[in-house]
Amino acid sequence: MLERVGSGIPGLRCTTRPEPWLAGEAELFVWEAFVSGTGKPVPSEISQHAADAAAAADTFADRLEAGSLSASDVVCTPASSFNLAAAAAAYAGLAIASNELRDQVQVYRTRPALL
C-alpha cells in the first residue's frame, strides 16, 4: 500500500513519529493498530477486516482528539527496536528520516468500533 501511495505522490514526506506529523513537517503518519482481545470488534454485515479497520480508525480519531498520539500502548524499551513501518516507507520510496528505523513505531490498542 505504501508503495502505491509513494508512486502516486512522489516526494511525500512520511513519519512514524506523531510530533512531526502534527507540526506539519510530514504529510503521512504511519502507525500500527493492535486489534486484539477486548478491542477485537464483532463484525455486523461487514467483513472482519473492515470491522478491524473501523475500530483502528475510531481509536486513532479518539487519540488525536485527546492529544495522546505520543503514548504508544506497546513499547520495546529498554531493548532496541527495528521499525518495520519506517523500513516499509523507505522501501516504498517515501521521504522518511533514516534515524526512524531505530525508533519504536506507535502502536494503539483498539476498542470495538461504533458501527
Side-chain angles (χ1 to χ4, degrees):
M1 182 179 86
L2 290 175
E3 194 167 30
R4 183 75 180 255
V5 170
S7 68
I9 309 171
L12 181 71
R13 295 174 302 160
C14 176
T15 187
T16 58
R17 299 173 181 154
E19 296 81 11
W21 179 71
L22 290 167
E25 298 167 12
E27 293 86 19
L28 181 64
F29 172 43
V30 179
W31 54 278
E32 184 177 336
F34 183 52
V35 186
S36 182
T38 60
K40 186 81 170 166
V42 177
S44 60
E45 300 182 28
I46 58 175
S47 73
Q48 184 65 58
H49 293 300
D52 291 352
D58 285 350
T59 298
F60 182 83
D62 289 347
R63 291 183 82 115
L64 180 60
E65 185 177 323
S68 62
L69 291 178
S70 294
S72 183
D73 292 324
V74 177
V75 294
C76 295
T77 50
S80 64
S81 61
F82 179 69
N83 187 331
L84 292 175
Y91 179 81
L94 299 173
I96 188 165
S98 61
N99 61 354
E100 289 197 34
L101 291 171
R102 293 188 176 272
D103 283 351
Q104 297 183 66
V105 68
Q106 296 300 113
V107 180
Y108 306 132
R109 184 181 304 271
T110 61
R111 59 165 175 72
L114 304 172
L115 302 176

